[in-house]
Amino acid sequence: MIFDFAEIQSRSSEAFPNKTCLFRPIIPFRIINKLCPEKHFEMEAVIDSGSDYTILPLRLGVSIGLSINEGKTESISPIGSAKDVAILFYEVILEIKGKQFCSYLSFADEDDIGFPVLGCIGFFDLFEVKMDYLSRKIELLPKVKSINP
Amino acid sequence: MNKLTNDISEIILPYENMWIALTLDNKKVVDSDKSINHLVDRLEDKDIRNFRFMKVPRFAPVCMNII
């Protein structure tokens, strides 16, 4: 599965006078409720190997029927924050380019989440991820079997 | 370099640091809000499966401070 980096506008600076844009590893995906597959949402998030966990907005999780009472809690320390915050883990289906994988990933309240990220648990534990900044290409090589043909 | 297939730079320009709901083909921003909660509240009646959600990054470079 191959993706392009996303092109994001940016401003020039003294250090980079000709800069007009930045390139970030942002990819689209779908999250499906494992128990109720017709409930799902799509979003885009940045691939971030520096994040221990994959973290998505809880409101979207709730919208596909994930119950706050059934999430498994974990405490994390966001970088730059003095306080720990609680996140909730669920088993869901992660669909990328039509291929579906079982994933154990987390959701956080919007006050506790800066940007949604595809991190180590929930994403990097499913794929070998190759990123070539110069060609602006991302390649995902599944390390587990997809659950659909 | 060729134009990237994932070039959404133009359509997200007015929405720095906001949550947006895109059409599934990424061609149009349907709605936006500073709060994902409020955005989903508004779109839930229209079936959120018809949209793709994204938080538009800041246009300034970002780096993690690991000290």
Side-chain angles (χ1 to χ4, degrees), chain A residues 26-55:
Chain A
I26 296 171
I27 63 167
F29 58 91
R30 176 180 287 180
I31 298 293
I32 302 168
N33 184 329
K34 207 172 174 181
L35 303 175
C36 194
E38 68 273 16
K39 292 188 173 181
H40 57 79
F41 67 82
E42 292 205 14
M43 69 176 305
E44 301 209 357
V46 67
I47 297 172
D48 181 5
S49 61
S51 175
D52 292 320
Y53 301 133
T54 294
I55 308 177

Side-chain angles (χ1 to χ4, degrees), chain B residues 14-61:
Chain B
Y15 305 102
E16 183 174 11
N17 206 34
M18 292 180 74
W19 285 94
I20 58 173
L22 295 149
T23 51
L24 294 178
D25 59 7
N26 274 10
K27 297 242 185 266
K28 189 178 159 194
V29 174
V30 177
D31 200 354
S32 65
D33 204 297
K34 288 197 162 146
S35 159
I36 182 67
N37 295 356
H38 294 160
L39 183 59
V40 176
D41 285 347
R42 279 204 301 277
L43 293 175
E44 214 158 30
D45 290 344
K46 296 179 185 169
D47 192 345
I48 65 158
R49 292 177 294 186
N50 295 321
F51 309 105
R52 178 174 291 160
F53 295 88
M54 177 185 183
K55 183 157 187 187
V56 178
R58 289 188 181 279
F59 300 146

Side-chain angles (χ1 to χ4, degrees), chain A residues 59-123:
Chain A
R59 181 65 184 85
L60 283 171
V62 169
S63 76
I64 61 166
L66 301 180
S67 165
I68 290 175
N69 296 329
E70 291 173 8
K72 309 291 185 197
T73 58
E74 165 73 308
S75 182
I76 61 166
S77 295
I79 288 173
S81 172
K83 67 173 181 118
D84 288 354
V85 301
I87 57 177
L88 295 171
F89 274 82
Y90 298 86
E91 286 187 4
V92 297
I93 297 169
L94 170 64
E95 181 180 305
I96 300 179
K97 286 206 167 176
K99 291 283 182 192
Q100 297 181 347
F101 304 90
C102 290
S103 177
Y104 189 56
L105 50 74
S106 74
F107 292 82
D109 192 67
E110 74 167 336
D111 292 335
D112 298 324
I113 185 174
F115 282 84
V117 289
L118 295 166
C120 292
I121 304 293
F123 183 73

Side-chain angles (χ1 to χ4, degrees), chain A residues 1-3 95-99 101 127 138-142:
Chain A
M1 293 182 279
I2 294 176
F3 298 85
E95 181 180 305
I96 300 179
K97 286 206 167 176
K99 291 283 182 192
F101 304 90
F127 304 99
I138 304 157
E139 185 176 9
L140 304 183
L141 301 164

Side-chain angles (χ1 to χ4, degrees), chain A residues 4 20 22 36-37 41 88 100 113-114 128 133 136 138 142 145:
Chain A
D4 285 329
T20 58
L22 296 165
C36 194
F41 67 82
L88 295 171
Q100 297 181 347
I113 185 174
E128 179 182 345
Y133 184 77
R136 321 283 194 229
I138 304 157
K145 282 190 83 169

